[in-house]
Coordinates of all heavy atoms in Angstrom, one line a residue:
S70 N -8.6 -52.3 -76.7 CA -8.5 -51.1 -77.5 C -8.8 -51.4 -79.0 O -8.8 -50.5 -79.8 CB -7.2 -50.4 -77.4 OG -6.2 -51.4 -77.9
H71 N -9.1 -52.7 -79.3 CA -9.4 -53.1 -80.7 C -10.9 -53.0 -81.0 O -11.7 -52.8 -80.1 CB -8.8 -54.5 -80.9 CG -7.4 -54.6 -80.5 ND1 -6.4 -53.9 -81.2 CD2 -6.7 -55.3 -79.5 CE1 -5.2 -54.2 -80.7 NE2 -5.4 -55.0 -79.6
L72 N -11.2 -53.2 -82.3 CA -12.6 -53.3 -82.7 C -13.0 -54.7 -82.8 O -12.2 -55.6 -83.3 CB -12.8 -52.7 -84.1 CG -12.9 -51.2 -84.3 CD1 -13.1 -50.9 -85.8 CD2 -14.1 -50.7 -83.5
A73 N -14.2 -55.0 -82.4 CA -14.8 -56.4 -82.5 C -16.1 -56.3 -83.3 O -17.0 -55.6 -82.9 CB -15.0 -57.0 -81.2
I74 N -16.1 -56.8 -84.5 CA -17.2 -56.6 -85.4 C -17.8 -58.0 -85.9 O -17.1 -58.8 -86.4 CB -16.8 -55.8 -86.7 CG1 -16.2 -54.5 -86.3 CG2 -18.0 -55.6 -87.6 CD1 -15.6 -53.7 -87.4
E75 N -19.1 -58.1 -85.6 CA -19.8 -59.4 -86.1 C -19.9 -59.3 -87.6 O -20.4 -58.4 -88.1 CB -21.1 -59.4 -85.4 CG -21.8 -60.7 -85.7 CD -23.2 -60.8 -84.9 OE1 -23.3 -60.2 -83.8 OE2 -24.1 -61.5 -85.4
V76 N -19.4 -60.4 -88.2 CA -19.5 -60.4 -89.7 C -19.6 -61.9 -90.2 O -18.8 -62.7 -89.7 CB -18.3 -59.7 -90.4 CG1 -16.9 -60.2 -89.9 CG2 -18.4 -59.8 -91.9
D77 N -20.5 -62.1 -91.0 CA -20.6 -63.4 -91.7 C -20.1 -63.1 -93.1 O -20.8 -62.5 -93.9 CB -22.0 -64.0 -91.8 CG -22.1 -65.3 -92.5 OD1 -21.1 -65.7 -93.2 OD2 -23.1 -66.0 -92.3
V78 N -18.9 -63.5 -93.5 CA -18.3 -63.1 -94.7 C -19.0 -63.7 -95.9 O -18.7 -63.4 -97.1 CB -16.7 -63.4 -94.8 CG1 -16.0 -62.7 -93.8 CG2 -16.5 -64.9 -94.7
A79 N -19.9 -64.7 -95.7 CA -20.7 -65.2 -96.8 C -21.7 -64.2 -97.3 O -22.3 -64.4 -98.4 CB -21.4 -66.5 -96.4
E80 N -21.9 -63.1 -96.5 CA -22.9 -62.1 -96.9 C -22.1 -60.9 -97.4 O -21.4 -60.2 -96.7 CB -23.7 -61.6 -95.7 CG -24.4 -62.7 -95.0 CD -25.6 -63.2 -95.8 OE1 -26.0 -62.5 -96.7 OE2 -25.9 -64.4 -95.6
P81 N -22.1 -60.6 -98.7 CA -21.3 -59.5 -99.3 C -21.6 -58.2 -98.6 O -20.6 -57.4 -98.4 CB -21.8 -59.4 -100.8 CG -22.3 -60.8 -101.1 CD -22.9 -61.4 -99.8
E82 N -22.8 -57.9 -98.2 CA -23.1 -56.6 -97.5 C -22.4 -56.6 -96.1 O -22.0 -55.5 -95.7 CB -24.6 -56.5 -97.4 CG -25.1 -55.1 -97.0 CD -24.6 -54.0 -97.9 OE1 -24.3 -54.2 -99.1 OE2 -24.4 -52.9 -97.3
A83 N -22.3 -57.7 -95.5 CA -21.6 -57.8 -94.2 C -20.1 -57.5 -94.4 O -19.5 -56.9 -93.5 CB -21.9 -59.1 -93.5
C84 N -19.5 -58.0 -95.5 CA -18.1 -57.7 -95.8 C -17.9 -56.2 -95.9 O -17.0 -55.7 -95.4 CB -17.7 -58.5 -97.0 SG -17.7 -60.2 -96.9
R85 N -18.8 -55.6 -96.7 CA -18.7 -54.2 -96.9 C -18.8 -53.4 -95.6 O -18.0 -52.6 -95.2 CB -19.9 -53.7 -97.8 CG -19.7 -52.2 -98.3 CD -20.9 -51.8 -99.1 NE -22.1 -51.6 -98.3 CZ -22.3 -50.6 -97.4 NH1 -21.4 -49.6 -97.4 NH2 -23.4 -50.5 -96.7
G86 N -19.8 -53.9 -94.7 CA -19.9 -53.2 -93.4 C -18.7 -53.4 -92.6 O -18.2 -52.4 -91.9
F87 N -18.1 -54.6 -92.6 CA -16.8 -54.8 -91.8 C -15.7 -53.9 -92.2 O -15.1 -53.2 -91.4 CB -16.4 -56.3 -92.0 CG -15.1 -56.6 -91.4 CD1 -14.9 -56.6 -90.0 CD2 -14.0 -57.1 -92.2 CE1 -13.6 -56.9 -89.4 CE2 -12.8 -57.4 -91.6 CZ -12.6 -57.3 -90.3
I88 N -15.5 -53.8 -93.5 CA -14.4 -52.9 -94.0 C -14.7 -51.5 -93.8 O -13.8 -50.7 -93.3 CB -14.2 -53.2 -95.5 CG1 -13.8 -54.6 -95.8 CG2 -13.2 -52.2 -96.1 CD1 -12.4 -55.0 -95.2
E89 N -15.9 -51.0 -94.0 CA -16.3 -49.6 -93.9 C -16.2 -49.2 -92.4 O -15.7 -48.1 -92.1 CB -17.6 -49.3 -94.5 CG -17.7 -49.5 -96.0 CD -16.6 -48.7 -96.8 OE1 -16.1 -47.7 -96.3 OE2 -16.3 -49.2 -97.9
Q90 N -16.7 -50.0 -91.5 CA -16.7 -49.7 -90.1 C -15.2 -49.6 -89.6 O -14.8 -48.7 -88.8 CB -17.5 -50.7 -89.3 CG -17.6 -50.2 -87.8 CD -18.4 -51.2 -86.9 OE1 -19.1 -52.1 -87.4 NE2 -18.2 -51.1 -85.6
T91 N -14.4 -50.5 -90.1 CA -13.0 -50.5 -89.7 C -12.3 -49.2 -90.2 O -11.7 -48.5 -89.4 CB -12.2 -51.7 -90.4 OG1 -12.9 -52.9 -90.0 CG2 -10.8 -51.7 -90.0
A92 N -12.6 -48.8 -91.4 CA -11.9 -47.6 -92.0 C -12.4 -46.4 -91.2 O -11.6 -45.5 -90.9 CB -12.2 -47.5 -93.5
R93 N -13.7 -46.4 -90.9 CA -14.3 -45.2 -90.2 C -13.8 -45.1 -88.8 O -13.3 -44.1 -88.4 CB -15.8 -45.4 -90.2 CG -16.6 -44.1 -89.9 CD -18.1 -44.2 -89.9 NE -18.5 -45.3 -89.0 CZ -19.2 -46.4 -89.4 NH1 -19.5 -46.6 -90.6 NH2 -19.6 -47.3 -88.5
D94 N -13.8 -46.2 -88.1 CA -13.5 -46.1 -86.6 C -12.0 -46.1 -86.4 O -11.5 -45.5 -85.4 CB -14.1 -47.3 -85.9 CG -15.6 -47.2 -85.8 OD1 -16.2 -46.2 -86.4 OD2 -16.3 -48.1 -85.3
M95 N -11.2 -46.7 -87.3 CA -9.7 -46.7 -87.1 C -9.1 -45.6 -87.9 O -7.9 -45.4 -87.8 CB -9.2 -48.1 -87.5 CG -9.7 -49.3 -86.8 SD -9.2 -49.2 -85.1 CE -8.6 -50.9 -84.8

Side-chain angles (χ1 to χ4, degrees):
S70 62
H71 304 294
L72 274 182
I74 302 175
E75 185 175 332
V76 55
D77 181 344
V78 297
E80 304 293 334
E82 196 48 34
C84 293
R85 191 185 68 77
F87 172 64
I88 296 297
E89 296 306 332
Q90 190 183 339
T91 302
R93 194 179 58 239
D94 293 1
M95 300 294 228

